[in-house]
Each structure stands twice: as C-alpha cells, then as structure tokens.
Amino acid sequence: MTNSITIRRPDDWHVHLRDGAMLQGVVGYTARQFARAIVMPNLTPPVTDVARGIAYRERILAAVPADMDFTPLMTAYLTDNSDPAELVRGHAEGVFTAAKLYPAGATTNSDSGVTDVANIRGVLEAMAEAGMPLCVHGEVTSADVDIFDREAVFIDRSLAPLIRDLPELKVIFEHLTSEEGVQFVEGAGANVAATITPQHLHINRNAMLVGGIRPHAYCLPVAKREKHRLALRKAATSGSAKFFLGTDSAPHAREAKESACGCAGIFNAPFALESYLAVFEEEGALGRFEGFASLHGPAFYGMPVNEETVTLERVECTVPASIDAGAAELVPFHAGETLRWRFAG
Ligand code: DOR
Ligand code: ZN
C-alpha cells in the first residue's frame, strides 16, 4: 500500500480569496498548499481594470503569512463595457493572467457581469489575438431554465457558438459539474480545458437535500445527479490534460450560509489536496494525481511547472467542525469527517 505520495507543488486554478478581514483569515490555507492560484475578481466593486488588479494583488501579497511562498495570478472581471485595450494591456504587463466571464446574475457578485456574450465580442477577439485566456462561469441565467440544466444549456446557447467563432481563444470551462460539460470539453479542441472542484467529485445533489437542507453543500454551479458526479470523477482521474485542479474555494461566514437565503460557496481550501487525493485513491488513480494537480494547469496556461514538491502521508486527519477566520466563523468542506491523507508540507 502506498503510504506517502510526493508530487510537484500544485497550483489552484480557481479560488476566491475575498478581501479585507476575510482575505486575512483565508489566504494562508491556499498559500500553504499551492504555489500559485488564479484569483477570482468578484469583489465589491469587482476587479475590472488594471489599477484595481494591481491594488488587489498587493493586498493579497500583504496578507500572505511571511513563511509562505505564494503567487496570486490575477483575473479581470468582464462587464458589458470592458475595454479591450485595457485588458490586453493588463495581460501584457503581467497583471492579468486571464479574464473572467460571469453571465450577469449567475452567482455571488455577478450583477455587473455580461448580459450577452455578443456585447463583449470585441474583447474576446482582442484576447484571442493576445493569447489571453478566458475563464468562464458556464451557466445561463434565464428564469425559464431549471437550475440543474443551466450548465448544459449554456454550452448549447453560448459556449459552443463562442468557440466555433473564436477557435484561437483559450477557454477554461470553470468548475465543471455535468456529464454534458465533460463531453463538450473532451470533444473540443486543444484550446478548451476545464477545472474541477473537490466538492463536485465527492457530492451529488442528495448531499444538499436529503434529510434536511444543508447549506454548506450549496455552491454554484449546484451539485447535480450521481451520473454527473461519476462522469466528473472519470474525467478528473483519466489522465487527460484537459482537466485540472481548481478548488473554487468560496468562503462565506457561517451565518451567511445558514440563512433563509444562504450564499453559494464551499470553503474547501483547508483540506483541498487531502480531499482530491481521496478521490484519486478511490478511483485507483494515485499515479495520475500529479498530472491533475500540478502539470495540466501550467501546460494549458503556458507556464512552467513548480520546481518544489509537496508530500501527503497516509495519516488520518479530522476536519474541524468550524474554522475561526478572524472576522468570520467558516464551516469547511468535510467538516467533522475524517480524511485518510494528511498534507505534510
Ligand atoms: O458557489 C459559488 N461561490 N460559485 C460561484 O460561482 C461564486 C462563489 C462565490 O464567490 O461565493
Ligand atoms: Zn468561483
């Protein structure tokens, strides 16, 4: 039996680090495990221009504990009014690694998002030309589309046409949650990849709704039927370079989750690698963990892999019921459960 696994230090290709006191409270959990992370721009106000990107990066770096080596990779929040020249300049100057497309109203702080992909056509053309990747929250927001179908419908209505029209654009289909999504990414060209979260590999929608409504299992896109979870597990552990790690760790204070209108988001940063590794072990794919966690992401983004390594040991670790993040009490993913692996540094 394998009792220890050492891999190149991974990166988190999708994370919410927030701002202010929450940033202070959570950034260490990501910086402890990951060398770099693609940081989501859905702050209030959102990170829409180069000056805000630089200022936010500085606030993140100031909050990283002194004994940790961590590089935040910034993203620009796209709106109907985004200026192509500003985004491309941010990319050329090394401020923005990518830009993020939130369909308006799809999720937390997406009110200023894009109301119609047609409105940002010029931006996407400029990004394709500059080699700047697009991160996509792939859900339609139309009231007539059932929430469990919103990813599949987004593929047909928005993503497939976009990729057909701009075959040069690098697109990351973020936090994939459906079998349709997996099939779409597998069938698309080398310019299309996807991130997968730990929660969508572990839970289906029953975890949220059976035996009572469980707000800490609620995130967007919402967890779906079991067949979708199985398709995601197969994709993540397949060895395909199109799929890589992106936690979508999204902290919200306990009271904001345990509410009549609870916020979407699962805080999985504290035990992210342990959580993913459990899946790879259950799928008999420990040998493919490093590709998913540490190699496929840099390859897609055109960045070097990390030189350092991290080790996980087969030592049981119990996830606390809650975590004191300074300003807020957070309930982590797997709260109260015992995981089989422990991050050893
Ligand atoms: O569950 C989610 N939480 N999904 C998102 O897309 C946004 C995120 C957040 O910022 O809380
Ligand atoms: Zn997210």
Side-chain angles (χ1 to χ4, degrees):
M1 195 195 279
T2 314
N3 286 321
S4 154
I5 169 162
T6 297
I7 58 170
R8 279 185 191 266
R9 191 156 174 229
D11 305 297
D12 183 351
W13 298 96
H14 182 129
V15 71
H16 299 266
L17 294 179
R18 312 301 194 208
D19 212 343
M22 183 73 98
L23 166 63
Q24 296 282 343
V26 303
V27 69
Y29 292 106
T30 294
R32 182 173 154 262
Q33 297 202 331
F34 300 103
R36 301 169 289 200
I38 288 273
V39 182
M40 288 299 125
N42 61 331
L43 306 180
T44 28
V47 181
T48 45
D49 59 33
V50 178
R52 282 186 188 167
I54 293 173
Y56 184 34
R57 181 167 64 185
E58 280 170 9
R59 295 197 297 280
I60 295 168
L61 288 170
V64 174
D67 59 338
M68 295 182 193
D69 184 16
F70 173 70
T71 304
L73 304 172
M74 311 310 291
T75 55
Y77 182 115
L78 296 179
T79 73
D80 284 345
N81 303 314
S82 291
D83 173 10
E86 175 77 1
L87 294 177
V88 168
R89 177 173 77 86
H91 185 247
E93 291 177 1
V95 178
F96 291 132
T97 299
K100 175 74 187 252
L101 166 58
Y102 284 108
T107 188
T108 310
N109 292 340
S110 62
D111 297 353
S112 348
V114 174
T115 58
D116 184 339
V117 176
N119 296 341
I120 55 162
R121 180 58 186 242
V123 171
L124 298 179
E125 283 171 0
M127 287 174 60
E129 200 177 315
M132 181 178 188
L134 177 73
C135 301
V136 178
H137 182 111
E139 288 192 287
V140 292
T141 54
S142 337
D144 62 316
V145 180
D146 188 280
I147 191 156
F148 291 101
D149 299 331
R150 287 182 174 196
E151 184 170 292
V153 173
F154 182 85
I155 295 170
D156 293 341
R157 286 194 193 165
S158 300
L159 197 55
L162 187 152
I163 283 162
R164 204 177 305 129
D165 292 353
L166 293 167
E168 304 297 315
L169 183 65
K170 269 192 192 183
V171 175
I172 303 99
F173 198 161
E174 300 288 352
H175 40 54
L176 210 57
T177 64
S178 67
E179 187 175 38
E180 292 88 344
V182 167
Q183 287 167 356
F184 178 78
V185 173
E186 280 172 343
N191 59 317
V192 180
T195 55
I196 304 181
T197 75
Q199 58 265 24
H200 293 110
L201 297 171
H202 278 280
I203 64 172
N204 62 31
R205 62 194 196 178
N206 283 9
M208 207 171 35
L209 297 169
V210 171
I213 190 154
R214 297 172 197 278
H216 299 290
Y218 174 60
C219 65
L220 287 170
V222 70
K224 299 182 170 60
R225 289 177 176 278
E226 179 65 356
K227 70 167 183 169
H228 299 289
R229 185 182 77 100
L230 295 178
L232 293 163
R233 284 172 78 102
K234 200 162 163 228
T237 60
S238 67
S240 164
K242 283 177 158 285
F243 301 101
F244 45 86
L245 186 158
T247 64
D248 198 15
S249 184
H252 291 278
R254 179 198 273 274
E255 61 276 15
K257 300 272 307 162
E258 298 175 6
S259 147
C261 185
C263 292
I266 294 181
F267 179 51
N268 59 34
F271 297 88
L273 289 177
E274 294 90 331
S275 180
Y276 279 116
L277 189 54
V279 172
F280 277 74
E281 180 170 43
E282 286 155 14
E283 296 293 326
L286 284 181
R288 294 201 272 268
F289 184 53
E290 183 177 39
F292 178 80
S294 315
L295 308 178
H296 303 163
F300 187 80
Y301 274 89
M303 292 183 184
V305 296
N306 298 309
E307 286 304 324
E308 325 85 84
T309 59
V310 298
T311 299
L312 288 109
E313 299 165 343
R314 186 184 297 282
V315 175
E316 287 192 345
C317 74
T318 301
V319 178
S322 84
I323 287 181
D324 175 7
E329 183 194 353
L330 303 175
V331 176
F333 186 44
H334 296 299
E337 290 173 34
T338 297
L339 300 175
R340 286 187 301 278
W341 292 87
R342 188 182 69 186
F343 179 74

